[in-house]
Amino acid sequence: MTDVNSGMNAYGEALFSLTEELGSTESVLGDVRTLSEVVSANPDYLKLLDSPALSREERLGLIDRSFSSLDKNLVNTAKLLCEKRLSYALPKALDAYVKEYESSRGIERVEVISAVPLSPSQCARLKAKLEGITKKQIIISNTHDPSLLGGIKLRYMGVQLDGTVRSKLDGFEKRLSELVI
């Protein structure tokens, strides 16, 4: 599976490089998001594109008819994956494009997990603090997990910071169990 992931990253990165050269990165980003939504909502469509029951011409024709309004380089990337019967991995290539775009523009996604949903003002303060630390534009997604009891977990830039009450209680319990009396 790692080979497919790295291969799809390469397709997404190559498409990004091409659109940067052509100056169409912003418009293609919109098309990438549109295509991502379509294939997420219709997972059977990708299975159809990889189906041996359809000829190569039929499969490529489906892509042409379905996505004729999208950027031609994006459509050609989808067609190339279809020819290689890798359409099932198209979402990974699209994700790689978005990640490459965000990386090049200094955008960092931060996942915030909290015991209760954060208020808009809490999100704004956290965003400002993280932007000051990372010197990047921050996009926060907040999920809540009542089992945390309080505090927050942050996941960004490949790091997880855990400042939850649950984590502190677990650490305290571990230290207590290691005490020799």
Side-chain angles (χ1 to χ4, degrees):
M1 196 61 153
T2 302
D3 292 334
V4 170
N5 287 336
S6 64
M8 292 309 106
N9 287 342
Y11 281 102
E13 291 164 6
L15 178 62
F16 176 79
S17 294
L18 178 61
T19 61
E20 282 281 84
E21 285 178 27
L22 298 174
S24 60
T25 308
E26 302 295 327
S27 65
V28 173
L29 178 64
D31 288 350
V32 164
R33 288 185 172 143
T34 299
L35 184 54
S36 290
E37 289 172 14
V38 168
V39 297
S40 291
N42 304 292
D44 289 338
Y45 183 77
L46 295 178
K47 291 177 187 172
L48 180 64
L49 293 178
D50 285 340
S51 172
L54 297 177
S55 71
R56 175 185 174 274
E57 290 74 26
E58 289 172 314
R59 291 182 289 117
L60 297 178
L62 281 172
I63 293 172
D64 281 333
R65 286 187 298 281
S66 300
F67 306 118
S68 61
S69 64
L70 301 181
D71 178 80
K72 69 176 177 144
N73 293 309
L74 175 58
V75 172
N76 287 340
T77 301
K79 288 166 77 173
L80 182 60
L81 292 174
C82 180
E83 286 181 333
K84 296 178 178 283
R85 295 204 193 271
L86 292 171
S87 293
Y88 70 92
L90 177 62
K92 291 182 185 337
L94 300 175
D95 288 345
Y97 182 93
V98 172
K99 285 178 185 169
E100 200 65 23
Y101 172 86
E102 290 175 351
S103 174
S104 74
R105 303 305 193 263
I107 299 170
E108 187 65 42
R109 292 191 176 273
V110 176
E111 182 182 6
V112 179
I113 304 159
S114 55
V116 295
L118 297 180
S119 70
S121 67
Q122 289 171 319
C123 278
R125 287 194 316 266
L126 181 58
K127 178 181 177 188
K129 180 79 170 174
L130 290 172
E131 285 178 342
I133 292 169
T134 64
K135 307 296 185 229
K136 294 184 176 211
Q137 180 185 344
I138 300 296
I139 297 173
I140 291 180
S141 66
N142 179 218
T143 55
H144 66 280
D145 178 358
S147 72
L148 298 180
L149 304 176
I152 61 173
K153 275 186 198 179
L154 298 177
R155 292 182 184 145
Y156 68 99
M157 298 172 68
V159 175
Q160 177 172 300
L161 303 174
D162 192 341
T164 62
V165 172
R166 168 61 53 209
S167 171
K168 291 175 182 171
L169 287 173
D170 289 345
F172 183 65
E173 179 183 30
K174 182 178 180 202
R175 285 192 302 277
L176 279 176
S177 69
E178 292 172 350
L179 263 176
V180 177
I181 297 180

